[in-house]
Amino acid sequence: MSAVNITKVLHAGISVYNMEESLKWYEENLGFCRVKDDGFVEPLGAHIVFIERDGFQIELFEYKAPKTIPPERLEPNTDLQTVGTKHIAFAVDDMDKCLENLKANGVKVVYETRMGDDHVAFIYDCNGVLIELIK
């Protein structure tokens, strides 16, 4: 049996508490821009917007009554032990400058370490979703 012939990575999906706040956060902090607004999608019961940076898209979902992130999902090392999708990782060219800019915007740095030659940091988006940065 052969593997499915995947031709392209399309997007990752993130549920958010507030669409406009999330759009602003991803634009101001990670340089994403809105590329498609599907509006309220009845079968899902959610407002859906796609954002993009450098050809990579994130599909944002805003539900009328979103469920909060469980506490064990808020810490990188604890979250890694929970089965499921963990985070999105982005490469950065200057970690110190990146973290300085993010902190100036009020972004919380959750965890920072060195793994071999890599400088790794985890941040929260405005919803508490973990994002990994690697230099």
Side-chain angles (χ1 to χ4, degrees):
M1 176 183 249
S2 61
V4 173
N5 184 25
I6 294 174
T7 59
K8 181 180 177 182
V9 174
L10 295 176
H11 63 266
I14 298 175
S15 289
V16 301
Y17 293 113
N18 180 291
M19 185 63 74
E20 291 308 314
E21 180 182 319
S22 298
L23 289 167
K24 182 178 177 185
W25 190 93
Y26 278 89
E27 179 182 321
E28 291 179 357
N29 292 292
L30 299 181
F32 278 83
C33 63
R34 181 188 320 219
V35 293
K36 183 180 176 197
D37 188 335
D38 287 343
F40 186 80
V41 178
E42 193 63 44
L44 295 177
H47 179 193
I48 298 175
V49 174
F50 286 84
I51 57 177
E52 184 174 318
R53 164 130 192 211
D54 299 329
F56 177 70
Q57 292 189 354
I58 298 175
E59 181 180 18
L60 301 176
F61 299 86
E62 179 188 39
Y63 287 89
K64 289 181 182 177
K67 297 179 181 179
T68 59
I69 299 172
E72 66 273 8
R73 299 292 313 262
L74 295 173
E75 297 296 328
N77 291 335
T78 303
D79 183 48
L80 289 173
Q81 299 170 31
T82 304
V83 173
T85 305
K86 304 290 102 199
H87 55 262
I88 297 173
F90 297 102
V92 300
D93 60 359
D94 184 333
M95 183 67 79
D96 294 329
K97 184 161 180 61
C98 176
L99 294 180
E100 179 183 316
N101 291 343
L102 290 168
K103 288 176 184 176
N105 284 348
V107 175
K108 182 177 179 183
V109 177
V110 182
Y111 182 76
E112 187 178 357
T113 191
R114 298 243 179 222
M115 292 184 190
D117 292 337
D118 292 334
H119 186 175
V120 177
F122 282 88
I123 61 171
Y124 287 134
D125 78 356
C126 59
N127 303 284
V129 173
L130 286 167
I131 296 171
E132 183 178 18
L133 306 169
I134 304 171
K135 167 58 178 126

